[in-house]
Amino acid sequence: MRKRGAVVAEVEFQVVTDGVGVITLNRPEKLNAFNFEMHRQLAAVLTGDELQDCRAVVLRAEGRAFCGGTDLSELGDHLGQSRTPSFEVSTGTEMSHNFRYARPVIIAAVQGYALGLGTLVVNLTDLVIASEDAVFGHPEVTHGLVQGNGIPRLREVVGTRAAMSMLVTGRRVPAEEALRIGIVNEVVPAERLEERAMEVARQIAANPAYAVHMAKRFFYESADIPYGAAVQAGYRVMRTAQLARRENGANFQW
């Protein structure tokens, strides 16, 4: 429980073992719904040098929900209220960029609700472990809103038909369906959620840092160029990895 008057970070980061870090969403009394300060703090963590030195990072959340979405009280004139000066601080584009170009593999450990912005955050991570009680969805349409900046990534993750269904109905997607349509990699009992996420993180961190960082970066970059060019670029990436291996990764960064 937070002490009255205490200043508590709403997004925390720590390195827990060699090559493995943990990001914690820490606003449980609001179901970890994002306000502008959380946007600022998450951006600072994702772009910080300490995180970049990791090979794998677990993204977890305090409380009974991973992320209930956006704190609607701070949406300003999007709900007919006056806009606050901090509205422009962090956009979906910035968040997408920060996740994609963070060097370590980011593994979401999801319990309870991951709705709206919560589903977007999950989709922006690289791997997802969900507890059996996890629930995903984009309910924005039921509030007269649209999760516009999350649509491209949602379509990439689940495909056109499933994405359209989620967006226009606002329905909630339970963990087993999320596994079937590709939102999550694994579903585990709630009591094993963080243990399993850390197992995966340690498995990744056991590999050379340069190889992990190269694999993640080229995975995403290859999706943005034509197939033939991607194959040719892939050969160059393979060659670069071979050279790095020959030097044991010394002084090598991707």
Side-chain angles (χ1 to χ4, degrees), residues 24-40:
T24 300
L25 304 181
N26 190 29
R27 202 182 181 220
E29 71 281 3
K30 295 291 186 179
L31 300 183
N32 297 305
F34 268 74
N35 58 11
F36 295 120
E37 185 57 30
M38 284 186 74
H39 275 288
R40 290 191 192 95

Side-chain angles (χ1 to χ4, degrees), residues 1-205:
M1 180 179 295
R2 302 186 186 194
K3 296 180 181 180
R4 182 174 300 177
V7 177
V8 179
E10 295 180 335
V11 179
E12 300 174 344
F13 176 73
Q14 61 176 331
V15 176
V16 295
T17 188
D18 184 34
V20 177
V22 174
I23 300 171
T24 300
L25 304 181
N26 190 29
R27 202 182 181 220
E29 71 281 3
K30 295 291 186 179
L31 300 183
N32 297 305
F34 268 74
N35 58 11
F36 295 120
E37 185 57 30
M38 284 186 74
H39 275 288
R40 290 191 192 95
Q41 292 182 19
L42 181 59
V45 167
L46 290 174
T47 58
D49 291 340
E50 193 174 18
L51 180 136
Q52 304 305 323
D53 289 337
C54 292
R55 296 186 285 283
V57 171
V58 173
L59 174 60
R60 61 175 298 276
E62 287 291 341
R64 60 190 176 90
F66 178 79
C67 175
T70 298
D71 187 336
L72 297 182
S73 68
E74 294 198 8
L75 276 180
D77 64 356
H78 280 237
L79 295 179
Q81 304 162 6
S82 61
R83 173 178 288 185
T84 62
S86 57
F87 179 80
E88 303 293 346
V89 167
S90 183
T91 66
T93 300
E94 180 188 27
M95 181 182 285
S96 298
H97 180 276
N98 290 340
F99 271 102
R100 178 160 293 196
Y101 290 101
R103 296 174 67 197
V105 174
I106 300 178
I107 306 157
V110 183
Q111 82 279 9
Y113 292 133
L115 300 175
L117 183 64
T119 289
L120 172 57
V121 169
V122 168
N123 285 339
L124 291 175
T125 63
D126 307 303
L127 298 172
V128 183
I129 312 296
S131 68
E132 293 170 332
D133 67 346
V135 179
F136 306 85
H138 277 294
E140 288 88 348
V141 69
T142 66
H143 298 284
L145 302 170
V146 177
Q147 176 51 268
N149 53 39
I151 291 175
R153 182 59 179 158
L154 180 67
R155 187 170 53 234
E156 284 182 347
V157 170
V158 305
T160 302
R161 299 300 185 191
M164 180 65 78
S165 173
M166 291 175 64
L167 289 167
V168 300
T169 66
R171 68 184 183 87
R172 296 179 178 182
V173 177
E176 288 299 332
E177 182 182 355
L179 175 64
R180 178 173 57 82
I181 65 178
I183 293 176
V184 308
N185 296 92
E186 297 181 36
V187 176
V188 299
E191 63 271 17
R192 283 216 66 224
L193 175 62
E194 295 193 9
E195 176 188 2
R196 179 56 185 152
M198 287 301 297
E199 287 174 355
V200 175
R202 286 192 293 268
Q203 183 179 10
I204 294 168

